Amino acid sequence: IYSMISLCNNLKKDCKFKNKINKILEEIYLYYENSYNEKYNHYIFNKDSNSKDFLPYNMQNVFALALIENLKFNDNKKYLKKTEQLFDSFYINFYNNKSYWDYWPIYSKHHSKFKGRGEDIRHASWNVFFVMEFCQKASISYQNKYKFIKKKNK
C-alpha cells in the first residue's frame, strides 16, 4: 500500500486512484487495529497466527510510512496520531539516545536472543526512512518533545 500511495502522490492531480487507495488504506488500517497493543504502541503478528509476538520494527514502520504518505494528500488526524504512537514505540528502543536499535522490540519474546546485534542495512533502511519522513510531518508537540526534529519554517 505504501508504494501505491507514494506513486499517487508523485502523480499529484493526475492520480485517478486516490479515492480507491484511501479506501484500501482505511480497510487495512481497520484490519490491523485488531492486532495493535496499546500498552506498547506496537502491532503484533496477526492474532490468527501462531506467533502472537510483536512485529519487527521494519514491518511496523513500513505501515507507518503508508500512513505518513497518505497524510500528504489526506489530513487524517487518526493517521497522524498513529504515526506518533509508532514513532514513540520505535524511539524508546534506541540505545542511549543514539541511532541504534535491535531488530525486535525490547518487549518481544525474540529480543533476548538477538539483543545487541542491531539490524541489517536492508531492514534498517525502512526504519531510517520512517524517522526521516516522520520528522518532516511531525506536529508541533512532537517537535518540542523530541528536540532533534527540525522546526518547520513558516
Side-chain angles (χ1 to χ4, degrees), residues 88-151:
D88 283 342
S89 167
F90 184 55
Y91 186 75
I92 63 166
N93 285 276
F94 283 6
Y95 285 93
N96 299 319
N97 289 329
K98 296 197 168 104
S99 300
Y100 175 80
W101 60 91
D102 284 322
Y103 181 77
W104 294 97
I106 56 176
Y107 30 81
S108 166
K109 61 185 172 187
H110 296 294
H111 181 262
S112 63
K113 290 185 259 181
F114 299 96
K115 183 178 180 182
R117 293 187 189 173
E119 189 169 33
D120 66 88
I121 192 76
R122 184 173 54 99
H123 289 103
S125 64
W126 287 109
N127 296 321
V128 170
F129 192 49
F130 165 61
V131 170
M132 289 172 34
E133 290 289 305
F134 177 81
C135 289
Q136 291 178 9
K137 191 64 179 170
S139 64
I140 298 298
S141 64
Y142 268 72
Q143 291 177 19
N144 293 329
K145 182 176 180 177
Y146 297 108
K147 301 299 182 192
F148 64 86
I149 296 177
K150 184 178 179 184
K151 304 284 189 234

Side-chain angles (χ1 to χ4, degrees), residues 22 31 40-41 45 67 73-74 87 104 115 140 145:
N22 274 327
Y31 176 81
Y40 295 107
N41 289 326
F45 281 101
L67 298 177
F73 66 75
N74 178 5
F87 183 82
W104 294 97
K115 183 178 180 182
I140 298 298
K145 182 176 180 177

